[in-house]
Amino acid sequence: MSGQAFGVVGLEVMGRNLALNVERNGYPIAVYNRTTEKTEHFLNVLAKGKNAKGGKTPAEFVALLERPRRILLMVKAGKPVDAVIEELKPLLQPEDILIDGGNSLFTDTERRVAYLKPTGIRFFGMGVSGGEEGALWGPSMMPGGDQESYKHLEPILTKVAAKSDDGPCVTYIGSGGSGHFVKMVHNGIEYGDMQLIAEAYDLLKNVGGLTNAQLKQTFEKWNEGELKSFLIEITAKVIDFKDPDGTGKDLVDLILDKAGQKGTGKWTTQCALDLGVPVPTITAAVDARGISSLKEERKAASTQLAGPKPAKLSGGELQQFIDDVRAALYCSKICSYAQGMAMLGAADKEYKFGLHLGEIARIWKAGCIIRAVFLDEITKIYREAPGTANLLIAGRFKEATSTRQEAWRRTLSTAIKNGVATPAFSSSLAYYDSYRRERGPANLIQAQRDFFGAHTYERIDKPGTFHTEWSQQAAKAPGSDLNAAEPAKPTAKK
């Protein structure tokens, strides 16, 4: 059968931009949207004169496509994806490929893979990052699913993807729901990165006393060095953008300080807990968005709770502070990426995805929201040493955190002294300090757990698992009101 090479369901901004991207790269497209008016607008206005067709019904749409059909679903995650699958399922044939390009939870993707498997229909979960501009001109894409079927997608995706100096920003991620899992972690890192930049902004504005114009210059300068990234770049652009309503004020100062979220950051934290992987920078960022939503409570608390007022810095002291904040941001940013990559490594062992961390870092180098110059270093690290446990101990990052940590600590000390909350900076430094210590205080926690719940513990001087009857010895201590009937004998459970 001859027909259009690629189909897109869902013509909101991401869907229509991806469709235009595919067509511009030489592949005839077919589109479908539940609202027929959107299909007609796309065909008659946005794609006028292009190699594009549309169906008014799912059946018309499917009939336009050559086999094996390649259909990208760009609909809201959750029940809408299942609804579209049910519409298309009776119309498709074995070897046809459905690709979910939304931000679906990876377990939903795996459920859909299993559901469609008996029909022979292939299902891919593909993370897409880059926003509306990236969708149109080249996003970073993370497809996961049946590797054999990926061969039918690879030529198109390679053309459509963003290009870096290291090739197209797309690769076969792995099996099952791996594509959506990797996109979820990408978004978790993004949460951490955005919160860290916001905290740097907060410190520079409210302790450093910088104006928005000065902040713009600062972020532009930072974007020329090791902090060069898409998020720093756009921060410099929005920081002094004038209010289009004509108030004469900078728009950022008129935006309500309540951050929204769509769930991928929360999912990252939840999945990290399931895997037993610490991601404190990412979790702090999720929590910070949560507390930002308590606007009315915070407004009331601001009139009742005491705290220091930020003291504005000046002269050489100010320049030192700006440099310190830059160093703290860089070190904390390393922690955010380190946590995300460690989580991907743990997930690969748990779920057998078949991930290649160096390739994942490579496809994030262009097109996506977290693209940053130091992804070059991350790519290099995992190519040379795929089993690297943590980025903090690898490559230039080890040296960077070592040489900048005094500035990192001064920044947090200044923040605490001035009453400016820096949860992501603080969590990042705590992560660093916890990771670098050979012995921490968890021995006490294990003793407590064994006391109240007989949870056992290990010893540093001999192998085995042990339990102690602590209560009798405690009862003999002066002032103790504990009673014990058990002898206080250590018992080895081997």
Side-chain angles (χ1 to χ4, degrees):
M1 156 181 187
S2 62
Q4 306 303 88
F6 198 78
V8 177
V9 176
L11 293 175
E12 294 298 335
V13 63
M14 287 293 288
R16 62 179 181 254
N17 280 3
L18 280 166
L20 291 170
N21 188 343
V22 171
E23 193 278 338
R24 188 179 65 251
N25 280 284
Y27 293 93
I29 57 169
V31 298
Y32 168 73
N33 196 87
R34 280 192 310 167
T35 307
T36 305
E37 288 78 9
K38 287 191 177 182
T39 303
E40 292 175 346
H41 177 75
F42 178 83
L43 295 172
N44 299 327
V45 179
L46 301 177
K48 187 175 181 179
K50 301 182 184 298
N51 197 342
K53 297 180 181 179
K56 294 181 179 180
T57 66
E60 283 185 16
F61 164 72
V62 169
L64 292 171
L65 294 165
E66 66 182 26
R67 296 205 60 216
R69 300 178 180 96
R70 293 163 287 194
I71 301 173
L72 175 63
L73 310 182
M74 293 303 297
V75 298
K76 188 176 180 181
K79 291 181 180 179
V81 177
D82 291 318
V84 172
I85 290 173
E86 289 306 312
E87 281 186 325
L88 295 177
K89 180 185 170 188
L91 306 170
L92 300 179
Q93 295 168 281
E95 309 307 321
D96 287 347
I97 304 168
L98 286 177
I99 312 145
D100 176 9
N103 279 331
S104 291
L105 183 61
F106 81 103
T107 49
D108 285 342
T109 302
E110 298 198 329
R111 169 177 58 79
R112 290 162 185 150
V113 169
Y115 173 64
L116 290 172
K117 188 174 182 179
T119 70
I121 300 169
R122 310 297 186 182
F123 190 82
F124 268 75
M126 184 172 74
V128 179
S129 178
E132 57 186 90
E133 284 297 308
L136 183 59
W137 299 108
S140 172
M141 293 182 286
M142 296 149 257
D146 174 62
Q147 190 166 15
E148 186 64 28
S149 297
Y150 179 67
K151 295 175 182 178
H152 293 288
L153 302 175
E154 187 173 16
I156 298 177
L157 298 183
T158 299
K159 286 272 191 178
V160 168
K163 309 298 187 295
S164 75
D165 58 0
D166 216 355
C169 292
V170 63
T171 190
Y172 174 71
I173 294 295
S175 62
S178 60
H180 277 141
F181 190 94
V182 170
K183 177 56 163 54
M184 175 191 74
V185 174
H186 164 285
N187 285 20
I189 296 170
E190 178 185 312
Y191 269 59
D193 217 350
M194 293 175 74
Q195 178 63 27
L196 290 168
I197 294 170
E199 290 177 14
Y201 155 76
D202 196 6
L203 288 169
L204 294 176
K205 188 175 183 69
N206 292 302
V207 178
L210 271 62
T211 64
N212 288 348
Q214 291 171 321
L215 284 165
K216 179 184 180 69
Q217 293 175 348
T218 300
F219 282 112
E220 285 178 339
K221 182 179 179 182
W222 288 2
N223 199 46
E224 296 171 355
E226 74 275 8
L227 285 171
K228 182 177 176 63
S229 64
F230 173 71
L231 286 171
I232 294 289
E233 177 188 331
I234 66 169
T235 300
K237 290 179 178 178
V238 303
I239 205 75
D240 70 339
F241 188 89
K242 295 302 177 185
D243 178 18
D245 284 353
T247 62
K249 297 181 179 180
D250 294 335
L251 182 58
V252 72
D253 293 330
L254 299 174
I255 296 175
L256 186 66
D257 57 326
K258 285 176 64 173
Q261 51 185 319
K262 292 185 176 180
T264 47
K266 179 184 72 175
W267 291 347
T268 305
T269 295
Q270 290 172 330
C271 290
L273 288 171
D274 291 338
L275 290 166
V277 179
V279 292
T281 306
I282 296 169
T283 300
V286 175
D287 288 342
R289 292 198 189 190
I291 202 165
S292 80
S293 70
L294 305 177
K295 177 62 178 179
E296 293 306 313
E297 291 183 38
R298 290 188 292 113
K299 185 177 180 180
S302 70
T303 65
Q304 301 177 55
L305 300 180
K309 290 185 177 181
K312 299 293 191 293
L313 303 175
S314 60
E317 189 180 27
L318 173 58
Q319 186 56 54
Q320 178 67 64
F321 180 64
I322 293 172
D323 293 342
D324 284 353
V325 173
R326 176 178 182 160
L329 177 57
Y330 185 58
C331 292
S332 299
K333 185 183 178 82
I334 292 170
C335 288
S336 185
Y337 281 75
Q339 292 161 27
M341 299 308 285
M343 183 175 172
L344 289 178
D348 192 42
K349 292 177 182 177
E350 178 70 19
Y351 304 124
K352 307 295 187 295
F353 285 146
L355 304 181
H356 297 279
L357 300 189
E359 270 291 276
I360 291 170
R362 181 191 69 77
I363 67 170
W364 287 348
K365 287 170 63 174
C368 73
I369 303 301
I370 66 169
R371 59 185 185 265
V373 69
F374 77 24
L375 279 162
D376 284 326
E377 180 71 8
I378 297 176
T379 302
K380 178 182 175 184
I381 287 168
Y382 286 115
R383 281 178 174 171
E384 295 178 353
T388 298
N390 194 292
L391 292 175
L392 286 175
I393 58 172
R396 294 202 301 265
F397 297 138
K398 180 171 66 174
E399 179 187 3
T401 51
S402 176
T403 57
R404 291 168 173 80
Q405 67 170 287
E406 290 307 314
W408 197 0
R409 297 180 194 283
R410 284 196 300 268
T411 298
L412 286 173
S413 177
T414 302
I416 292 167
K417 182 179 178 181
N418 285 276
V420 177
T422 53
F425 274 165
S426 301
S427 296
S428 299
L429 182 57
Y431 177 76
Y432 174 83
D433 279 336
S434 297
Y435 195 74
R436 70 177 179 80
R437 293 183 65 192
E438 189 274 334
R439 184 169 173 83
N443 52 312
L444 177 60
I445 293 172
Q446 283 302 96
Q448 294 169 335
R449 293 180 72 241
D450 191 56
F451 187 104
F452 66 68
H455 292 296
T456 75
Y457 55 88
E458 296 176 89
R459 296 175 60 111
I460 62 174
D461 55 351
K462 53 187 174 182
T465 304
F466 300 86
H467 166 60
T468 295
E469 299 297 342
W470 304 79
S471 53
Q472 186 172 355
Q473 288 190 16
K476 292 179 181 178
S480 173
D481 61 356
L482 296 172
N483 296 310
E486 305 274 351
K489 293 182 179 180
T491 302
K493 297 180 181 179
K494 300 183 180 179

Coordinates of all heavy atoms in Angstrom, one line a residue, residues 3 43 86 178 181 189 247 292 328 386-387 426 430 442:
G3 N 1.1 5.5 0.5 CA 0.4 6.5 1.3 C 1.4 7.3 2.1 O 2.5 7.4 1.8
L43 N -4.3 21.7 8.1 CA -4.1 21.5 6.7 C -4.2 22.7 5.8 O -3.5 22.9 4.8 CB -5.2 20.4 6.2 CG -5.0 19.0 6.9 CD1 -6.2 18.2 6.5 CD2 -3.7 18.4 6.4
E86 N -7.7 2.7 22.2 CA -8.9 1.9 21.9 C -9.6 2.3 20.6 O -10.2 1.4 19.9 CB -9.9 2.1 23.1 CG -9.4 1.5 24.4 CD -9.1 0.0 24.2 OE1 -10.0 -0.8 23.6 OE2 -8.1 -0.5 24.7
S178 N 11.4 2.2 29.0 CA 12.6 2.9 29.2 C 12.6 4.3 28.7 O 13.2 5.3 29.3 CB 13.8 2.1 28.6 OG 13.6 2.0 27.2
F181 N 10.8 6.4 31.1 CA 11.6 6.5 32.3 C 12.7 7.5 32.2 O 12.9 8.4 33.1 CB 12.2 5.2 32.7 CG 12.7 5.1 34.1 CD1 11.9 4.7 35.2 CD2 14.0 5.5 34.4 CE1 12.5 4.7 36.5 CE2 14.6 5.6 35.7 CZ 13.8 5.1 36.7
I189 N 15.9 16.1 36.7 CA 17.1 17.0 36.6 C 16.7 18.4 36.3 O 17.3 19.3 36.9 CB 18.1 16.4 35.6 CG1 18.6 15.0 36.0 CG2 19.3 17.3 35.4 CD1 19.4 14.3 35.0
T247 N 3.0 48.5 31.7 CA 3.2 49.0 33.0 C 4.5 49.7 33.2 O 4.8 50.5 34.1 CB 3.0 48.0 34.1 OG1 4.1 47.0 33.9 CG2 1.7 47.3 34.0
S292 N 5.7 26.7 47.4 CA 5.4 28.0 46.6 C 3.9 28.1 46.4 O 3.4 29.2 46.3 CB 6.2 28.0 45.3 OG 5.5 27.2 44.3
A328 N 28.7 27.9 43.8 CA 27.7 27.1 44.4 C 26.7 26.5 43.4 O 26.3 25.3 43.5 CB 27.0 27.9 45.5
P386 N 32.0 3.1 31.6 CA 30.5 2.9 31.7 C 30.0 2.6 33.1 O 28.9 2.8 33.4 CB 30.3 1.8 30.7 CG 31.4 1.8 29.8 CD 32.6 2.2 30.6
G387 N 30.9 2.0 33.9 CA 30.4 1.6 35.2 C 30.6 2.6 36.3 O 30.5 2.3 37.5
S426 N 21.2 23.7 49.6 CA 21.5 23.0 50.8 C 21.5 21.5 50.7 O 22.4 20.8 51.2 CB 20.5 23.4 51.9 OG 20.5 24.8 52.1
A430 N 24.6 18.8 51.2 CA 24.5 17.7 52.1 C 24.7 16.4 51.4 O 25.3 15.5 52.0 CB 23.1 17.7 52.7
A442 N 24.7 6.6 60.6 CA 23.7 5.6 60.5 C 23.9 4.4 61.4 O 22.9 3.6 61.7 CB 23.6 5.0 59.0

